[in-house]
Amino acid sequence: MTQRIIEILQGRRTVAFLGEAGSGKTEIALNFALRLRGETDRKIHFFDMDQTKPLFRARDVAERLRQMNIEFHSNTDISIEDVAAIAPGVIPVLNDTESFVIMDVGGNEHGARVIGQFCELLSREDAMVMLPINPFRPWSGNPDNLALTIDKITTAARAKTVKVISNPNLCRETTADDVVEGNETLRQMLQNRYEIACVCALTPLCAELEQRMDEAVVPIEIQIIYPWMDEYEDA
């Protein structure tokens, strides 16, 4: 069934999204922030901490978030150059108990290291780390590879508690059957090591999926659309 983001967060107010390229991490982080905006009047902060890729970055839709009254933070706030820098103010925001914080953390274990310095704050009861996984991606093709990838990313981030977001998709060709089958494949590959917090799918598929899945379903509206792609291109 479709669940509110606040319910998926289970009382936590800070969530850091980690994940390999192609996992859908940035789109999911953006959708979490935008859906939260419709569920709460509290301040929402979005930190773009992805320093590992030139495309599909939250900073490319920063103005849209600001128009929705979501406070956006990135390295471009302090430099005109697209350099590997962390936006200031992370610690004060993480300590602000009256706000929600979404952190989009870049790519593989190398990108995940940027939040290691905040591990004490992200290990508190009001924070969580979420790891979107697309089981159709090559790096998540078998249980051993998947376990190794998760271990590398979470170790680099010094994350203690991690929940998985199931994001089975084949870009524009994705069907409801693909999502159901991919989610079952992921569940088997995880071997009960990690809890699946929710399943993400494009909005047109969600009505059917709500009838076929036990997990909470989060509708995804593609936010990052470049001139050379359409709204169903993978991000």
Side-chain angles (χ1 to χ4, degrees), residues 174-190:
T174 308
T175 66
D177 286 341
D178 292 328
V179 177
V180 172
E181 293 168 11
N183 183 61
E184 181 57 32
T185 297
L186 177 58
R187 194 159 35 179
Q188 293 176 10
M189 287 195 296
L190 290 173

Side-chain angles (χ1 to χ4, degrees), residues 3-185:
Q3 259 185 303
R4 299 170 73 220
I5 299 302
I6 287 178
E7 293 168 347
I8 292 172
L9 297 185
Q10 298 178 333
R12 297 173 177 88
R13 62 174 194 82
T14 297
V15 55
F17 289 88
L18 306 175
E20 283 277 6
S23 64
K25 168 185 59 64
T26 296
E27 283 289 355
I28 292 171
L30 289 168
N31 274 266
F32 264 60
L34 290 166
R35 290 188 178 278
L36 264 178
R37 179 72 291 156
E39 298 175 8
T40 180
D41 292 328
R42 293 164 65 179
K43 181 172 286 188
I44 299 174
H45 294 269
F46 191 106
F47 280 90
D48 176 6
M49 306 178 78
D50 192 335
Q51 302 172 15
T52 63
K53 65 183 188 231
L55 291 174
F56 301 114
R57 304 173 308 182
R59 68 199 73 169
D60 293 332
V61 293
E63 188 54 37
R64 189 180 311 166
L65 295 185
R66 292 183 174 118
Q67 290 174 357
M68 295 297 294
N69 199 27
I70 296 172
E71 192 159 336
F72 187 86
H73 310 260
S74 80
N75 63 328
T76 56
D77 294 335
I78 59 173
S79 172
I80 61 173
E81 301 294 335
D82 195 8
V83 297
I86 296 177
V90 176
I91 292 177
V93 169
L94 290 177
N95 282 322
D96 177 9
T97 59
E98 298 303 315
S99 65
F100 284 96
V101 183
I102 303 292
M103 306 174 77
D104 175 24
V105 184
N108 53 27
E109 66 270 21
H110 302 295
R113 289 195 179 98
V114 303
I115 64 166
Q117 61 190 294
F118 310 116
C119 64
E120 291 186 9
L121 297 173
L122 294 175
S123 296
R124 299 184 308 196
E125 291 185 357
D126 67 348
M128 68 191 307
V129 170
M130 303 191 90
L131 186 71
I133 297 175
N134 182 351
F136 296 124
R137 288 296 186 187
W139 64 266
S140 51
N142 64 66
D144 290 338
N145 284 351
L146 182 59
L148 179 61
T149 299
I150 293 175
D151 182 66
K152 285 182 178 180
I153 292 174
T154 55
T155 298
R158 301 168 69 184
K160 294 182 179 179
T161 303
V162 178
K163 291 190 177 183
V164 166
I165 293 178
S166 177
N167 185 36
N169 74 83
L170 297 166
C171 305
R172 73 186 72 191
E173 292 85 8
T174 308
T175 66
D177 286 341
D178 292 328
V179 177
V180 172
E181 293 168 11
N183 183 61
E184 181 57 32
T185 297

